[in-house]
Amino acid sequence: MGWGDELMAAGEADALPVDKVAIFSGHQQRWHEAWENNPKIARMGESFDAKIESGPGHRPYFKSVTSEKWEWLPYKPKPAKLYFSDDELDFADKVVSKYGGDFVVVEPNLKEKQESINRDWGFNRYAQVIASVDANWVQLGAGNIRLLPHVRQIQTSTPRQMAAVLSRAKAFLSPEGGLHHTAAALGLRGAVIFGGFISPMTTGYDLHDNFYHGAGCGMRVKCKHCQDVMASITPDSVANTLKTILGRV
């Protein structure tokens, strides 16, 4: 259950034509920090006009999962809305003061999950893009993260801080995941590496330039198809897309 899942749940809630929506998992109402300050989503114990089902084992984009494979369902996520506190916006303003307001966010790292082997475009390919696109590149995150060459880290201790900083970025580059869902909520353009594991027909947004092949095999064990698709996505093609987004062509 990740940050991106919770933003997709918020997008579903925001799209309903009622004043207040509760988010459930089974018979249990839920709350998550991604929904903080969202006037549409009911907190625990609040009255509500409608409810949606979105929680562990109850996500709208997959049919089933085994130790070897996800079975995807056709799905079109709706961009969520993020509501920042004054403290979160102040934090983002301080970042802009320190790093400038022209930065581009990149995230080459993935969570340590079984299927990440099939979602990894490769650290060196991200590095080639960085070398090809003249930009103020930064990575976001807490602690010591693996940094690309010539990329600075902006320390963000929570996903909400990360989102607030991302709201000030010019563009982004990342794998499919929490950062691309956050960027969609912020209306931020960028390039998303989907590959062959999952596709934008399942968890993608029209706002983004998505690199993928097919509907996504969902394989959780090492998959030659996924490796071949990742190899077919060239750093030059991604770099050219980002140059277009940034107005550098």
Side-chain angles (χ1 to χ4, degrees):
M1 181 172 63
W3 173 263
D5 283 312
E6 306 304 3
L7 290 180
M8 284 190 280
E12 292 290 337
D14 286 330
L16 291 180
V18 297
D19 291 332
K20 193 71 77 171
V21 180
I23 299 176
F24 276 70
S25 180
H27 298 293
Q28 183 66 47
Q29 186 182 354
R30 303 176 51 241
W31 180 257
H32 191 273
E33 65 173 328
W35 315 328
E36 196 67 52
N37 305 314
N38 189 328
K40 189 74 172 279
I41 301 178
R43 298 190 73 102
M44 305 297 290
E46 268 191 312
S47 61
F48 52 88
D49 307 300
K51 68 178 183 178
I52 64 169
E53 179 81 12
S54 184
H58 299 280
R59 301 299 185 184
Y61 58 87
F62 74 88
K63 180 180 180 181
S64 62
V65 61
T66 68
S67 61
E68 293 190 352
K69 183 177 175 65
W70 289 91
E71 290 286 349
W72 307 125
L73 290 172
Y75 180 66
K76 190 69 175 178
K78 303 169 181 66
K81 296 176 183 178
L82 283 162
Y83 296 83
F84 296 113
S85 68
D86 289 343
D87 286 345
E88 289 161 347
L89 293 175
D90 286 345
F91 179 85
D93 288 340
K94 289 176 182 177
V95 165
V96 170
S97 296
K98 181 176 181 179
Y99 292 92
D102 62 344
F103 60 88
V104 180
V105 173
V106 59
E107 181 50 77
N109 300 304
L110 291 160
K111 289 183 180 179
E112 293 184 6
K113 298 172 66 176
Q114 180 179 338
E115 55 263 33
S116 290
I117 190 171
N118 295 326
R119 300 177 57 237
D120 187 5
W121 190 41
F123 201 79
N124 289 338
R125 293 187 181 113
Y126 283 100
Q128 289 177 57
V129 174
I130 299 307
S132 299
V133 181
D134 183 18
N136 180 11
W137 289 100
V138 302
Q139 288 176 235
L140 309 178
N144 295 320
I145 59 176
R146 188 183 184 194
L147 289 174
L148 290 159
H150 312 298
V151 173
R152 295 182 292 175
Q153 180 182 0
I154 296 176
Q155 290 279 345
T156 53
S157 59
T158 70
R160 292 192 62 87
Q161 279 192 346
M162 176 273 293
V165 173
L166 191 64
S167 74
R168 303 295 205 259
K170 294 298 183 183
F172 77 98
L173 166 62
S174 79
E176 184 273 345
L179 196 143
H180 100 274
H181 289 292
T182 307
L186 299 169
L188 180 67
R189 290 191 61 191
V192 185
I193 309 298
F194 277 81
F197 172 75
I198 194 169
S199 90
M201 291 179 281
T202 302
T203 56
Y205 301 89
D206 295 338
L207 170 68
H208 298 149
D209 289 88
N210 301 307
F211 291 82
Y212 72 103
H213 176 76
C217 69
M219 292 300 296
R220 304 185 71 198
V221 295
K222 188 173 182 179
C223 171
K224 185 178 186 302
H225 159 260
C226 289
Q227 306 301 313
D228 289 346
V229 171
M230 286 300 192
S232 74
I233 301 170
T234 66
D236 281 348
S237 65
V238 176
N240 288 337
T241 292
L242 286 164
K243 289 175 184 177
T244 299
I245 291 171
L246 294 168
R248 307 286 172 81
V249 294

